[in-house]
Amino acid sequence: MQSLQEKASEWSGVNPNDAFAIDEINLYQKLGLQTFINISTNFYNRVYDDEEEWFRSIFANSKKEDAIQNQYEFFVQRMGGPPLYSQRRGHPALIARHRPFPVTRQAAERWLHHMQKALDSTTDIDSDSKVKMTNFFRHTAFFLVAGDELKNQKQSIACKHATSKPAAV
Amino acid sequence: MQSLQEKASEWSGVNPNDAFAIDEINLYQKLGLQTFINISTNFYNRVYDDEEEWFRSIFANSKKEDAIQNQYEFFVQRMGGPPLYSQRRGHPALIARHRPFPVTRQAAERWLHHMQKALDSTTDIDSDSKVKMTNFFRHTAFFLVAGDELKNQKQSIACKHATSKPAAV
């Protein structure tokens, strides 16, 4: 059986070494807190204004300012900065926290489309940092698609509608 | 609705500041790689020999040497060392990766019992580091209990047996 990491690599086309090249330098020290806030603000401004209603609607139950804070705090923590996310919300637990959302391949591509635009619109990001983050984001997006498929796995708790024979119609 | 972090704090009795006091110092630099390998080896030796069959059986489908490596690589990564875990397996995704296991309160307490013994049996851990790790482990164990309960939540994908009306009996 393929692992989450193997699926993420195959589906994203990004191998683990490239995905986790973000750890070769301290991106937080290099770019600073404000850059991460700017990326997430730019990103969610695009997402909440997306012309694609199917994608925009995924975020309809979250406040934009909360989405921005959750995201940049996670980025800061994961990319060498203080553990802002865990202090406030605990372990990132990325797959579990995305459980309420339909993280399809199409949704991953749309997320990445907006993130690429956000990175390109944010000043003070050098090209090496941008490549590292882009690879990390692409691999992570498909890691979450792989995680999303776990939802369809058989649960040990039987569906309450299940019968040993097909129900009479 | 209580968040995962709130449930973890209430059930464990450890508040987030104490749980994430592991981030106040770099435990990896302080203790070194070998200490983490020793903790995980000691811990899993106890787990795989546990006289409580219900707990021992949770690990029956995993090789002990794999369990040891997965654990110490995660500890090293989370406590200030190189990202050994993510390079090999991707994001920790703690809740999703514990999905196959019944992470009950009883199982959390048994895990913590063995971990306390492992910490007490491992030389070269100063008492401050031990307190920090103990709080982190206790909070995390109950974070996973909270995550385990997500498995019982209603899925957005309808059960294939579901009908709009109760099936005729």
Side-chain angles (χ1 to χ4, degrees), chain B:
Chain B
M1 197 179 67
Q2 269 191 312
S3 69
L4 291 166
Q5 177 89 316
E6 286 162 351
K7 286 181 188 172
S9 298
E10 185 183 323
W11 300 346
S12 68
V14 179
N15 69 48
N17 282 347
D18 289 335
F20 293 102
I22 57 160
D23 292 317
E24 290 170 5
I25 52 170
N26 188 316
L27 285 165
Y28 172 76
Q29 284 177 4
K30 193 171 182 183
L31 302 175
L33 174 64
Q34 191 59 50
T35 298
F36 287 99
I37 295 176
N38 292 348
I39 292 169
S40 295
T41 303
N42 192 303
F43 171 78
Y44 277 112
N45 282 341
R46 293 172 190 279
V47 167
Y48 278 75
D49 274 344
D50 194 348
E51 62 193 17
E52 300 276 358
E53 197 273 337
W54 66 270
F55 188 71
R56 196 177 69 237
S57 70
I58 295 173
F59 303 85
N61 291 326
S62 311
K63 280 190 199 163
K64 184 161 78 171
E65 57 265 38
D66 292 342
I68 292 168
Q69 185 182 12
N70 289 341
Q71 188 186 76
Y72 81 70
E73 286 189 353
F74 170 68
F75 289 171
V76 163
Q77 171 167 331
R78 186 60 190 79
M79 298 190 201
L84 302 179
Y85 187 90
S86 289
Q87 284 167 353
R88 197 166 57 86
R89 306 197 79 210
H91 293 279
L94 282 186
I95 291 175
R97 293 191 197 266
H98 284 81
R99 190 181 162 90
F101 310 110
V103 188
T104 61
R105 292 173 188 224
Q106 189 188 19
E109 293 291 3
R110 192 78 191 154
W111 191 101
L112 291 164
H113 165 78
H114 289 305
M115 183 52 79
Q116 193 60 55
K117 296 255 182 195
L119 290 172
D120 290 341
S121 313
T122 305
T123 51
D124 301 325
I125 312 181
D126 62 289
S127 64
D128 179 66
S129 299
K130 203 185 286 188
V131 168
K132 285 183 165 65
M133 283 197 279
T134 298
N135 283 328
F136 173 76
F137 291 144
R138 187 163 183 86
H139 188 273
T140 300
F142 284 91
F143 181 86
L144 292 179
V145 174
D148 195 70
E149 295 194 343
L150 296 175
K151 289 194 282 196
N152 301 327
Q153 281 183 2
K154 198 174 162 186
Q155 293 289 315
S156 55
I157 297 156
C159 162
K160 66 176 178 175
H161 301 287
T163 54
S164 53
K165 295 178 186 177
V169 179

Side-chain angles (χ1 to χ4, degrees), chain A residues 4-159:
Chain A
L4 292 166
Q5 176 89 316
E6 286 163 351
K7 286 181 187 169
S9 297
E10 184 182 323
W11 298 346
S12 68
V14 179
N15 69 49
N17 282 347
D18 289 335
F20 292 100
I22 57 161
D23 292 318
E24 290 169 6
I25 52 170
N26 188 315
L27 284 165
Y28 173 77
Q29 284 177 4
K30 192 170 183 182
L31 302 175
L33 175 64
Q34 191 58 51
T35 299
F36 287 99
I37 295 175
N38 293 347
I39 292 169
S40 295
T41 303
N42 193 301
F43 171 77
Y44 276 112
N45 282 341
R46 293 172 190 279
V47 166
Y48 278 75
D49 275 344
D50 195 350
E51 62 193 18
E52 300 276 358
E53 198 273 337
W54 67 269
F55 187 72
R56 196 177 70 238
S57 69
I58 295 174
F59 304 85
N61 291 327
S62 311
K63 280 190 199 164
K64 185 162 78 173
E65 57 266 37
D66 292 343
I68 291 168
Q69 186 181 11
N70 289 341
Q71 188 185 75
Y72 80 71
E73 287 189 353
F74 171 68
F75 289 172
V76 164
Q77 171 167 331
R78 186 60 189 80
M79 298 190 200
L84 302 178
Y85 187 89
S86 289
Q87 283 166 355
R88 197 166 58 85
R89 306 199 77 211
H91 293 281
L94 282 185
I95 290 174
R97 293 190 196 267
H98 284 81
R99 189 180 162 90
F101 310 111
V103 188
T104 60
R105 292 176 188 222
Q106 190 189 18
E109 291 291 4
R110 191 78 189 155
W111 191 101
L112 290 165
H113 165 79
H114 289 304
M115 183 50 78
Q116 192 61 55
K117 296 252 182 197
L119 290 172
D120 290 342
S121 312
T122 305
T123 50
D124 301 326
I125 311 180
D126 62 287
S127 63
D128 179 66
S129 299
K130 203 184 286 187
V131 167
K132 284 183 164 65
M133 283 197 281
T134 299
N135 283 328
F136 173 75
F137 292 144
R138 187 164 183 83
H139 187 272
T140 299
F142 284 92
F143 180 86
L144 292 179
V145 175
D148 195 71
E149 296 196 343
L150 296 176
K151 289 195 283 195
N152 300 327
Q153 282 183 2
K154 198 174 164 187
Q155 292 288 314
S156 53
I157 297 153
C159 163

